[in-house]
Every structure is written in structure tokens, then in C-alpha cells.
Amino acid sequence: MSLYAAFCLLMAAYGVTRVTGLEVKWGLTPADEVEPIGPGDWIVLGIFCVLALAMFGCAFLPAAPWSWGVGLAALIVGLSCCGAPSIVLLVLWCQMPTRLYFATHGWRNLPQPMSPPPVPPPY
């Protein structure tokens, strides 16, 4: 989750450079190739900032069954703007080790593995 939050934060930082004009001042884009800033740019910037804050909040949730569902909902919401990272994280999020981690409230509370059956006596 924290990697996804960092990605959203980087996208928000890029949006800030684009909206404020720092993109041209830093020499990232020539001045004649810059498109005009519209209200849609501000909306996208706001969405990325909110997503970054929400993802950072999800990264620090306790290991509990309800927090697995919150993380799943956050990844589904993130599909709208960050498709590739969301799909990869959704696949990893739905696998059994992750679900077991959240179902047992962390790795310390996992049940002990079963011991192997006793060795049969020789004939």
C-alpha cells in the first residue's frame, strides 16, 4: 500500500509542477509546448492528493479483518486513475498469505503448522 501511496504522491507532485508552471521554469518542458491550464487539471490534482492521503492512511491501519476490506476498497477506487499498479496490487492483495495475515491480526498470531506424522516402524 505504501508503494501505491508513493506513486499517487509522485503524480500529485507532477500535477503541482504542471499547474504552477514550475515545469517550464525547471526546463522540463519548453515554453512553446505547454498546454493551457484548465479546471480539469486542478480537479485531477485534487484527486491525486486525496488518493495519496487515503493510501498513506491505509498503509498504517492495524492488521485486522476489517482493514483488509478497507485496503481492497482503496485499491478498487484507485483503479480509476492508476490502473496498472492497482491491478498488480489487487492480485497480491487477494492471495492467501495476505488474507491470512489480516484474518489472524498479524504474523505473530498465526496458528502453528501441523507437525509431520510419526515415522512408521520398520518391518
Side-chain angles (χ1 to χ4, degrees), residues 19-115:
V19 169
T20 58
L22 291 174
E23 185 179 34
V24 177
K25 290 179 187 175
W26 291 344
L28 299 174
T29 305
D32 57 341
E33 292 182 12
V34 176
E35 298 175 11
I37 305 300
D41 293 331
W42 288 100
I43 292 171
V44 170
L45 176 62
I47 288 172
F48 273 119
C49 289
V50 168
L51 272 176
L53 289 175
M55 293 303 157
F56 272 119
C58 288
F60 295 106
L61 289 177
W66 62 268
S67 60
W68 183 86
V70 171
L72 182 65
L75 289 173
I76 290 172
V77 168
L79 277 172
S80 62
C81 59
C82 307
S86 290
I87 291 171
V88 171
L89 287 174
L90 274 172
V91 168
L92 295 173
W93 198 257
C94 292
Q95 289 183 352
M96 189 53 68
T98 305
R99 295 179 76 181
L100 187 62
Y101 172 78
F102 283 100
T104 59
H105 300 280
W107 296 121
R108 293 185 197 127
N109 301 324
L110 285 175
Q112 293 298 320
M114 294 177 52
S115 60

